[in-house]
Amino acid sequence: QVQLVESGGGVVQAGGSLRLSCTASGRTFSTLTNYVVGWFRQAPGEEREFGAVISRSGDITEYGDSVKGRFTISRDVAMNTVYLQMNSLKPEDTAVYYCAASYVIEDSTVGFTFARKYAHWGQGTRVIVSS
């Protein structure tokens, strides 16, 4: 069982930045090396929304339209961590942010903009952007 832990959420003013982190732990799998990793978010009363995804190599990334150009997903193999750098934050970015991962063989992100593709989820970290 892979356990994902998000961190880095908090309260920030509009226009500010935050960096979220996602790390993995578990009895069998303690590395995200062979996993595609995505970030989703869910605001109160709304459906879970795709934010960003990164391939197992880190060479391929995709972003949701609402965050494109402001958010950057990256991975640090040595630190076994995937990051979501969030810049130019807006009040509408306020949500709980979730990290998700799935083991893959191919270095691809095809299909991984959909939450149902992911096997493992973290508990989420809350981001509040004040106006």
Side-chain angles (χ1 to χ4, degrees):
Q1 180 70 20
V2 175
Q3 296 174 327
L4 302 176
V5 179
E6 304 95 336
S7 62
V11 181
V12 63
Q13 288 188 334
S17 299
L18 282 175
R19 188 177 76 163
L20 306 183
S21 300
C22 173
T23 58
S25 63
R27 184 172 62 86
T28 304
F29 301 104
S30 61
T31 175
L32 287 172
T33 303
N34 297 318
Y35 287 73
V36 65
V37 180
W39 284 96
F40 289 76
R41 67 186 186 183
Q42 188 165 19
E46 298 188 13
E47 294 186 354
R48 195 163 293 193
E49 177 189 20
F50 167 70
V53 59
I54 189 165
S55 66
R56 52 180 283 171
S57 72
D59 291 339
I60 304 169
T61 58
E62 291 188 58
Y63 296 91
D65 289 341
S66 60
V67 308
K68 197 173 297 181
R70 300 186 298 123
F71 291 10
T72 302
I73 190 171
S74 62
R75 63 193 310 157
D76 184 326
V77 174
M79 297 298 292
N80 194 34
T81 301
V82 172
Y83 300 102
L84 184 68
Q85 178 67 44
M86 307 186 297
N87 298 329
S88 302
L89 283 162
K90 306 173 182 180
E92 50 263 44
D93 293 319
T94 295
V96 177
Y97 284 72
Y98 297 91
C99 170
S102 275
Y103 178 84
V104 292
I105 297 176
E106 294 183 351
D107 191 31
S108 171
T109 58
V110 173
F112 285 97
T113 60
F114 297 97
R116 63 178 181 268
K117 287 283 289 185
Y118 292 86
H120 310 286
W121 289 84
Q123 293 300 307
T125 184
R126 188 176 302 276
V127 172
I128 298 174
V129 183
S130 61
S131 57

